[in-house]
Amino acid sequence: FSEVAALFDEIMGPLGDPKVDGVYDLADYRTNAPQPTPAYEFWVTEESFRNAFGIDPSVVYTDCSGPVYDNFQYDIGQSYAKNVTYLLEQNIPVLIYSGQDDLIVPTPGTRAWVGNMGWSQIHNFELAGTKPFLLDN
């Protein structure tokens, strides 16, 4: 473990230093230290985002809910591509969030995952292209 951790530190250099602000929101998951507030938390709590997606105002977002984790801890390492594909085949809208600066699961990795899940409409999805999701602030 220590050799891998040292190699990680060498590769990351100053980006892995929690005292340095960089493009990436990095967290050192090798410790039990409190982690920074995830960037996505803004999107799920911002009123204009919630209104744009029709989120019921009575729904309260909680990050890392203990009971939710307890119920899903065995599912964390599982692939849900078949479940997502099923929802898409039923024409149920699905939002797959992938941060543009996410070092752990970068956007190309997410796009590859979507492209390999076997969805019958993947061709149309790929032709649609992408557009940034922005709020007025």
Side-chain angles (χ1 to χ4, degrees):
F1 173 82
S2 60
E3 290 176 13
V4 172
L7 181 59
F8 178 81
D9 290 340
E10 181 182 329
I11 292 169
M12 295 309 298
L15 287 177
D17 185 346
K19 297 178 288 241
V20 175
D21 289 333
V23 231
Y24 297 106
D25 179 17
L26 298 177
D28 188 347
Y29 294 102
R30 297 169 290 175
T31 71
N32 289 326
Q35 301 301 323
T37 301
Y40 64 81
E41 199 164 303
F42 168 79
W43 300 107
V44 296
T45 58
E46 174 62 33
E47 185 177 353
S48 59
F49 172 87
R50 294 171 62 85
N51 290 339
F53 281 90
I55 297 173
D56 185 328
S58 67
V59 174
V60 177
Y61 170 79
T62 303
D63 189 46
C64 297
S65 165
V68 171
Y69 177 81
D70 291 343
N71 285 295
F72 289 99
Q73 65 181 323
Y74 300 106
D75 296 332
I76 291 172
Q78 305 299 316
S79 172
Y80 286 90
K82 288 182 182 178
N83 303 66
V84 173
T85 301
Y86 174 80
L87 294 173
L88 291 169
E89 295 293 355
Q90 304 305 310
N91 293 319
I92 297 172
V94 174
L95 171 66
I96 300 171
Y97 174 83
S98 181
Q100 68 183 17
D101 295 327
D102 191 335
L103 188 64
I104 306 302
V105 183
T107 301
T110 302
R111 291 183 62 82
W113 178 76
V114 171
N116 289 317
M117 73 169 84
W119 177 34
S120 65
Q121 298 299 312
I122 190 63
H123 180 70
N124 292 333
F125 173 79
E126 290 170 343
L127 288 176
T130 61
K131 62 181 179 180
F133 181 81
L134 305 171
L135 291 178
D136 297 329
N137 64 357

